[in-house]
Amino acid sequence: MSTHLTDQRFDQYKLPDSLLQGLNQAGFQQCTPIQADSLPISLGGEDVAGEAQTGTGKTIAFLVAVYNKLLTEQPPEHRKPNQPRALILAPTRELAIQIHKDALLIGKNTGLKLALIYGGTDYEKQQQSITDGVDILIGTPGRLIDFFKKHVYNLKMVQSLVLDEADRMFDLGFINDIRYLIRRCPEPQHRLSMLFSATLSFRVQELAYDLMNAPKHIKIKSENRTADKIEERVYYPANDEKIRLLIGLILKEQPTRSIVFVNTKRVAENINAWLTGNDMPPAILSGDVPQKKRQSLLKKFQDGESTILVATDVAARGLHIPEVSHVFNFDLPQMAEDYVHRIGRTARAGASGTAISFACEDYAHYLPEIEEYIKHSIPNEGVSSELLVELKPRAKVERYGGNNKHGHRPGNRSGNRNQQGNRHHNRNHSKHKSHNSHQSKKATSDN
């Protein structure tokens, strides 16, 4: 999928000056295909259901439409400060934070007030941001419902509604929460609604027709599900070769910034110990990393203080980090769609990138499903002796996550067994999918 720019420019639309100024200052002049296709519809007041992969510019597409709606129409009569005029729903904290960041960027001259709501931290601070007055409410379902039921705000004055990554809402089990919130908004014909999804599956289309006003469907077609500028490779290491191969490839490729994806927190901690011991200390992102720690390490990664991020699939969507040159699938994902979302962290906004996957003893059987989904074979490379570097010992590192209340360290019980965590976790292949589903829901349970 290409993220090329079209000939359509934002200044060709009759946008409010304050919004156009923010777009120009942020460097947005030309539209991507999803923006060029959706904006004529949404700016004309019609609902949009858009199918587009990550990294295509859909966030700016719906933010421009929301800002335009709120800036060109009067607020409803008798509206109170804690009654938002727009509601933007996201499945994960990371995506909500990114949407809020982009909204601040292009809307800084509009005078509209934003509030960002998600679980895990800052309960009273977030509540106060609503009671102080909010025009655009951005957040994840769990805490939004919590505040709603406590009458911190209501949705009676919503003029615009956005549901981002609708397919992910289903995957994470949030769809009943979404219906609960949307049905507290004005009727579909009395608001502008936009839904975006990586796939407009039957269940997503059903949701669109149920909760929207005859939405116009938009699909950004591409021959490939993956970005055109991603170089993909797959290696076939034995389980006990994976760490040595990862470090060997990092030394050879010299990535400017890389994300290493794994399927479990335990494997992430194992990689952390090996990389740290070999003078490559990474940042670790998994579902139970406390929120303040999560934001701190993401900032270090974005600022370049850490050049390697080891992550479970909680990070596969919603992260827009520029200049990620390499993605490593240390564990192949157990769902083909997740492969696309993972490697979509590189080659964003027209840049190029490299995606390297390990088809090991435990996960190689997922490769055919992945290749069928992306509609092409991934070129394979040999595991040469030069890439299997000799390692320094594992480091003793602090464990991430909420279970480390007493400061326990992993120690050396498994220090000389590179992939014991991986072997132990994957003894029973039949449990993969149910365990993966449990991990996903657990990872986002405080949203």
Side-chain angles (χ1 to χ4, degrees):
M1 177 197 61
S2 176
T3 52
H4 67 274
L5 299 176
T6 68
D7 292 333
Q8 182 67 39
R9 297 176 57 88
F10 286 104
D11 59 16
Q12 292 175 289
Y13 301 112
K14 295 180 180 179
L15 299 175
D17 289 340
S18 59
L19 175 57
L20 197 56
Q21 186 180 2
L23 286 165
N24 285 329
Q25 290 172 347
F28 295 111
Q29 278 89 35
Q30 290 172 273
C31 296
T32 65
I34 188 64
Q35 294 160 2
D37 286 1
S38 68
L39 283 173
I41 299 169
S42 57
L43 294 177
E46 294 184 272
D47 289 1
V48 171
E51 178 176 337
Q53 297 290 348
T54 184
T56 57
K58 56 186 172 64
T59 302
I60 298 300
F62 65 69
L63 284 175
V64 167
V66 168
Y67 273 119
N68 181 75
K69 175 84 171 175
L70 271 52
L71 292 170
T72 58
E73 294 186 10
Q74 291 295 320
E77 289 186 23
H78 311 300
R79 171 181 168 265
K80 298 176 182 177
N82 69 334
Q83 292 179 307
R85 299 176 62 194
L87 174 65
I88 301 176
L89 295 167
T92 65
R93 293 170 288 204
E94 285 72 29
L95 182 56
I97 290 169
Q98 185 60 49
I99 292 169
H100 180 257
K101 182 179 177 181
D102 289 343
L104 286 175
L105 187 65
I106 69 170
K108 60 183 178 181
N109 304 307
T110 64
L112 295 174
K113 295 182 179 179
L114 310 179
L116 174 61
I117 308 300
Y118 54 87
T121 188
D122 296 336
Y123 191 92
E124 293 181 359
K125 182 180 177 181
Q126 292 180 14
Q127 180 173 323
Q128 192 63 44
S129 70
I130 296 176
T131 55
D132 285 347
V134 56
D135 295 298
I136 301 175
L137 183 60
I138 302 166
T140 54
R143 184 164 288 183
L144 282 171
I145 289 179
D146 185 9
F147 284 159
F148 182 87
K149 290 183 175 179
K150 291 184 176 180
H151 307 290
V152 176
Y153 71 98
N154 66 55
L155 298 168
K156 295 178 180 178
M157 301 295 176
V158 166
Q159 296 168 275
S160 186
L161 168 74
V162 177
L163 181 58
D164 197 13
E165 297 201 349
D167 54 333
R168 191 65 164 166
M169 297 289 194
F170 279 100
D171 293 342
L172 297 176
F174 292 148
I175 211 61
N176 289 335
D177 292 343
I178 295 300
R179 291 182 186 274
Y180 177 91
L181 289 168
I182 294 178
R183 285 173 176 160
R184 270 70 186 173
C185 295
E187 290 297 313
Q189 62 269 29
H190 298 305
R191 53 175 158 84
L192 171 66
S193 301
M194 289 166 280
L195 176 151
F196 289 88
S197 182
T199 55
L200 285 179
S201 62
F202 176 79
R203 61 183 185 175
V204 173
Q205 292 184 55
E206 186 179 39
L207 180 71
Y209 280 115
D210 187 27
L211 300 176
M212 302 173 75
N213 181 30
K216 296 290 180 66
H217 283 209
I218 294 173
K219 181 176 182 179
I220 302 302
K221 297 181 180 179
S222 63
E223 293 183 4
N224 299 322
R225 291 184 185 268
T226 54
D228 295 333
K229 294 186 178 181
I230 298 179
E231 178 201 349
E232 296 173 81
R233 280 181 267 152
V234 63
Y235 292 83
Y236 292 84
N239 282 355
D240 59 4
E241 293 175 335
K242 289 174 72 177
I243 285 288
R244 294 169 64 198
L245 179 60
L246 175 66
I247 293 177
L249 284 167
I250 291 173
L251 291 172
K252 179 185 177 184
E253 300 275 329
Q254 293 291 310
T256 55
R257 190 173 293 165
S258 61
I259 302 179
V260 180
F261 280 106
V262 297
N263 289 345
T264 69
K265 174 193 168 189
R266 184 169 182 173
V267 174
E269 289 178 340
N270 188 41
I271 293 175
N272 180 27
W274 282 110
L275 289 180
T276 301
N278 285 268
D279 306 317
M280 305 175 181
I284 305 293
L285 183 62
S286 63
D288 55 355
V289 174
Q291 185 60 31
K292 288 187 178 179
K293 180 75 173 179
R294 181 194 304 256
Q295 290 178 236
S296 172
L297 66 88
L298 279 175
K299 186 176 188 303
K300 288 181 179 179
F301 185 62
Q302 289 173 322
D303 293 345
E305 292 181 43
S306 297
T307 59
I308 303 173
L309 176 68
V310 180
T312 56
D313 279 309
V314 70
R317 298 201 192 198
L319 291 184
H320 175 64
I321 300 171
E323 299 175 7
V324 173
S325 62
H326 289 66
V327 167
F328 295 92
N329 285 307
F330 186 85
D331 297 330
L332 277 179
Q334 294 153 311
M335 295 183 66
E337 296 92 335
D338 287 337
Y339 176 83
V340 175
H341 297 307
R342 286 181 180 190
I343 72 171
R345 299 308 101 202
T346 187
R348 297 179 72 85
S352 59
T354 301
I356 297 174
S357 299
F358 293 175
C360 65
E361 300 164 54
D362 291 323
Y363 293 108
H365 60 285
Y366 290 106
L367 186 60
E369 182 182 343
I370 291 170
E371 291 183 329
E372 181 181 359
Y373 182 77
I374 63 177
K375 300 178 181 178
H376 65 262
S377 297
I378 303 173
N380 65 77
E381 299 281 343
V383 180
S384 65
S385 58
E386 290 80 8
L387 289 176
L388 296 176
V389 297
E390 292 300 317
L391 300 180
K392 298 178 183 178
R394 283 168 48 111
K396 290 185 177 181
V397 292
E398 288 188 16
R399 300 177 72 177
Y400 285 79
N403 295 328
N404 190 28
K405 293 180 180 179
H406 303 293
H408 296 313
R409 296 173 185 267
N412 281 330
R413 286 188 301 143
S414 60
N416 294 319
R417 296 177 291 169
N418 293 14
Q419 295 300 315
Q420 277 299 318
N422 217 10
R423 290 195 190 108
H424 174 80
H425 174 71
N426 293 294
R427 282 174 183 163
N428 188 346
H429 288 312
S430 66
K431 293 182 180 178
H432 276 336
K433 292 187 182 293
S434 62
H435 181 78
N436 192 51
S437 174
H438 171 75
Q439 287 290 95
S440 295
K441 290 180 181 179
K442 180 178 182 294
T444 52
S445 61
D446 58 352
N447 280 340

